[in-house]
Amino acid sequence: MKDPRNALEVEGLGMVFDVSASWLNRVVERKPRRYLRAVDDVTFAVPRGGCLALVGESGCGKSTVARLVTGLYRPTSGTVAFAPGRDGAPLAAQMIFQDPYASLNPRWRVGDIVAEPIRELRLRETEADVTDRVADLLRTVGLSPDDMAKFPHEFSGGQRQRISIARALASEPEFLVCDEPTSALDVSVQAQILNLMRRLQDELVLTYLFISHDLSVVRHMSDRIAVMYLGRIVEEAETEALFDAPQHPYTRLLLETIPDLHAPRRRRAAPGGEPPSPLAPPPGCAFNPRCPVAMPVCRTDRPAETARCGAGRVACHAAAATASAA
Ligand SMILES: Nc1ncnc2c1ncn2[C@@H]1O[C@H](COP(=O)(O)OP(=O)(O)O)[C@@H](O)[C@H]1O
Ligand code: SF4
Ligand SMILES: [Mg+2]
């Protein structure tokens, strides 16, 4: 940990998946092994009490970063370092997933789902104290203590996400990794869950790594935004700076495709087509086939990350040229 003000520091993180056919198929069909680089040299930090958003199209590696950060995967390269928490042990992190139904055991009552981490970690001594704590947690997320007796299928999508949040909070984490927590919900319900998460962050002094494919969702959640493309961070900046003056052509593309709130039906088509397959990334800058300002160097040389004035960074030959001309 280089800066004690950070809750999390991730450095040079890489994840390569072996996606080869089975041994038999490889031998019979003479297929080579195949590797997919899902996360490539990703570096970022999240200050204590802050919220960093990780944004990019589906398949760019966001969930893989979330799983690496929470220890569900072991990285191929790089490091993940949490600051010491209140008790001196590394900060406890919990994850909230996109699909609350899949992450809640359907055969368990809500009371047991939320109580499990409390019992497991022996955070309360008696069963009566466990029940009190579960009741408190349900109230905290806007549910009723009476909901303890119910099963997950008796709730709406938004309520189920509240149950997942209560369960995540049950282990008293200081850090939450939220992987598209509202993407499966209706727009009106999304806003309620986002407001709840913002309130919890203030009240419980939580630190968030907040993942979404949608810039408009993270705008009001995050202090800083890191934009990912094909496994790499291509731009990182303070939220307002990113919206006011996006430096990377891909960030500009994402901003252009945010649905217009005043004309929601007029959803602009994704310009420049789809992202390439991470199994065969283009040489040079991975964004070059879609980039409206690509130059010859973009097809041969991968742009290095450059710091620019202010606290942001960007990986783009064109942005670097503008910065050095200024
Ligand atoms: N367990 C896995 N095995 C093989 N490939 C994977 C695995 N998990 C993710 N991938 C691939 O890694 C890339 C990044 O996936 P993911 O992290 O889920 O992206 P995102 O969350 O941004 O949609 C995708 O191409 C995906 O197909
Ligand atoms: S490096 Fe080149 S291709 Fe990549 S985003 Fe910048 S200008 Fe476009
Ligand atoms: Mg994902």
Side-chain angles (χ1 to χ4, degrees), residues 17-19 36-39 56-65 67 73 179-180 211 228 278-279:
F17 292 112
D18 184 344
V19 291
L36 186 151
R37 191 173 292 276
V39 174
E57 285 157 302
S58 172
C60 72
K62 305 181 296 295
S63 294
T64 304
V65 169
R67 294 198 170 101
Y73 290 154
D179 190 0
E180 310 244 18
I211 292 173
M228 280 186 80
L279 276 169

Side-chain angles (χ1 to χ4, degrees), residues 248-249 285 287-288 291 293-294 298 303 316-318:
H248 198 282
C285 170
F287 188 58
N288 84 67
C291 182
V293 294
C298 302
C316 168
H317 293 302

Side-chain angles (χ1 to χ4, degrees), residues 48-72:
R48 272 180 204 268
C51 175
L52 174 74
L54 213 53
V55 176
E57 285 157 302
S58 172
C60 72
K62 305 181 296 295
S63 294
T64 304
V65 169
R67 294 198 170 101
L68 289 165
V69 164
T70 47
L72 293 172

Side-chain angles (χ1 to χ4, degrees), residues 30 56 69 80 106 121 128 136 174 192 196 201 265 270 280 285 310 316:
R30 294 173 185 277
V69 164
V80 173
L121 298 167
D136 275 348
E174 291 167 74
Q192 292 166 15
L196 168 66
Q201 188 183 17
R265 261 169 253 276
C285 170
C316 168

